[in-house]
Amino acid sequence: MRNNQLYVPGVCNIGPAEIARRRRAGYVGLVVTAVVIAAVLVFRAPAYWRLLVFFPASIAASGFLQASMHFCAGFGMAGVFNFKPTPGKTIPVRQAQDREKDRLKAIRILMYSVLIGIAVALAAYILL
């Protein structure tokens, strides 16, 4: 099976190497989220500083969502895909309707990531 036969518009635009990259980004975001929360608590910063956790929590959510969905939001917005073992090397999506499906999926992932970041930040603000 050729690489471009794995691509499904709006469903799957990355292979194992790219999925692993997204998962790593999710773990990095998760660790940074924990560090920010710990720092705010250890230094007894004002409660509004807990809202900063929005940024790394959104990054963590984005990484994990993209890995689990086998879909890169950035690639979806750019109209490319990659199933090659080398991360970052992309192939353009040729059909306009396929690019539109990818763009809509990318927007959904970004919206979910922002909503999760907001939820985590509010939970940190209210509960800690």
Side-chain angles (χ1 to χ4, degrees), residues 24-89:
R24 280 192 300 275
Y27 282 117
V28 168
L30 190 62
V31 168
V32 173
T33 299
V35 168
V36 169
I37 290 172
V40 167
L41 294 175
V42 166
F43 293 109
R44 295 191 172 120
Y48 61 85
W49 281 91
R50 296 178 199 152
L51 295 175
L52 288 176
V53 79
F54 163 80
F55 297 103
S58 294
I59 291 169
S62 178
F64 288 132
L65 286 169
Q66 290 180 71
S68 69
M69 292 181 182
H70 301 178
F71 195 91
C72 173
F75 286 3
M77 294 302 282
V80 298
F81 64 92
N82 179 23
F83 289 91
K84 297 182 185 270
T86 308
K89 302 216 179 211

Side-chain angles (χ1 to χ4, degrees), residues 14-24 63 66-68 70-71:
I14 55 175
E18 295 286 357
I19 291 167
R21 275 178 86 183
R22 303 315 176 280
R23 191 172 293 115
R24 280 192 300 275
Q66 290 180 71
S68 69
H70 301 178
F71 195 91

